[in-house]
Amino acid sequence: DGGITQSPKYLFRKEGQNVTLSCEQNLNHDAMYWYRQDPGQGLRLIYYSQIVNDFQKGDIAEGYSVSREKKESFPLTVTSAQKNPTAFYLCASMSRTGYEQYFGPGTRLTVT
Amino acid sequence: AQSVTQPDIHITVSEGASLELRCNYSYGATPYLFWYVQSPGQGLQLLLKYFSGDTLVQGIKGFEAEFKRSQSSFNLRKPSVHWSDAAEYFCAVGAGNNNDMRFGAGTRLTVKP
């Protein structure tokens, strides 16, 4: 069954700690994306990657980092430099020949 | 750069009534347009998309949308709403490449019994 998995679904961390969110896809898609969702603000792009070992900053990359060592995986690290990390994080992917993005179920991160 | 406006933050309709969710976009070239639906605490599911051709597009779950270039709009419609349609709906516009999809702020749909 093809799709995108994100784990864990809920994540709790103390302020000052880095935390890594997992995103895996078995759709054989080249491009992968990380979005942040806050109430009433839609989705904002954090980082994206079009091929392995390459990624680009989105609109709100400050305080986040990513890696793309494998086609299937695009983990997001929320660092202690992110001022307001509590949010719902969504991972998405897109094929080379398509224009629509497919989304994972999301991870809700709470930092206290 | 492209942008999307969903003028309605929250809409309430009765079950069985018709629905129209508004979406206006700003983009200089032919846009790639999408509607997604999100249930609480879940990811986004693609309802339908428009790239070119017939301006009335059919999607899943009985939804349709009409592209009107003159009005820069891509409104989502459903003739008869079911209680299970209660969710948040997002309109999005893409530039056709892999990098730049913009989402509206979303419209939350409540369905009254």
Side-chain angles (χ1 to χ4, degrees):
Chain A
D1 211 8
I4 303 175
T5 57
Q6 292 185 242
S7 60
K9 188 165 181 64
Y10 300 96
L11 196 49
F12 298 89
R13 281 294 183 271
K14 294 289 188 186
E15 200 172 304
Q17 294 178 334
N18 291 355
V19 59
T20 297
L21 282 60
S22 167
C23 177
E24 304 275 334
Q25 56 101 357
N26 60 5
L27 299 168
N28 199 33
H29 286 173
D30 291 295
M32 295 186 74
Y33 307 81
W34 274 106
Y35 292 92
R36 172 184 171 133
Q37 185 177 24
D38 296 282
Q41 293 196 46
L43 279 67
R44 292 182 289 168
L45 182 64
I46 305 172
Y47 268 98
Y48 64 94
S49 168
Q50 293 182 275
I51 57 172
V52 174
N53 293 322
D54 186 58
F55 47 83
Q56 306 296 327
K57 292 182 179 179
D59 299 321
I60 56 165
E62 186 175 348
Y64 299 98
S65 66
V66 293
S67 63
R68 186 87 187 275
E69 297 176 2
K70 299 186 299 181
K71 188 175 183 178
E72 303 79 22
S73 179
F74 191 40
L76 173 75
T77 297
V78 184
T79 75
S80 57
Q82 168 51 229
K83 295 283 188 273
N84 185 18
T86 294
F88 190 54
Y89 291 88
L90 287 159
C91 179
S93 70
M94 183 160 67
S95 72
R96 187 193 299 249
T97 56
Y99 299 109
E100 64 268 29
Q101 295 183 12
Y102 294 89
F103 285 82
T107 292
R108 182 165 300 280
L109 172 65
T110 302
V111 177
T112 58
Chain B
Q2 60 268 40
S3 65
V4 178
T5 302
Q6 293 181 246
D8 304 305
I9 296 172
H10 184 207
I11 283 183
T12 300
V13 300
S14 297
E15 190 167 17
S18 63
L19 171 70
E20 182 167 29
L21 302 182
R22 296 183 291 164
C23 172
N24 294 100
Y25 68 89
S26 173
Y27 186 58
T30 301
Y32 294 74
L33 295 162
F34 309 87
W35 274 100
Y36 287 86
V37 61
Q38 183 183 35
S39 297
Q42 301 297 317
L44 276 66
Q45 181 183 20
L46 181 67
L47 282 176
L48 46 77
K49 60 191 177 188
Y50 172 78
F51 298 156
S52 64
D54 193 345
T55 57
L56 184 64
V57 293
Q58 302 296 320
I60 62 171
K61 306 186 181 195
F63 286 93
E64 67 178 25
E66 186 171 14
F67 170 59
K68 293 186 178 179
R69 184 186 299 276
S70 61
Q71 298 177 21
S72 297
S73 69
F74 189 56
N75 294 350
L76 181 71
R77 302 195 294 247
K78 187 169 185 178
S80 177
V81 169
H82 188 261
W83 64 266
S84 60
D85 293 323
E88 185 127 26
Y89 292 80
F90 292 93
C91 182
V93 59
N97 57 30
N98 285 341
N99 311 341
D100 210 2
M101 181 176 282
R102 299 287 165 170
F103 290 81
T107 297
R108 185 162 61 91
L109 174 65
T110 298
V111 180
K112 292 192 303 185

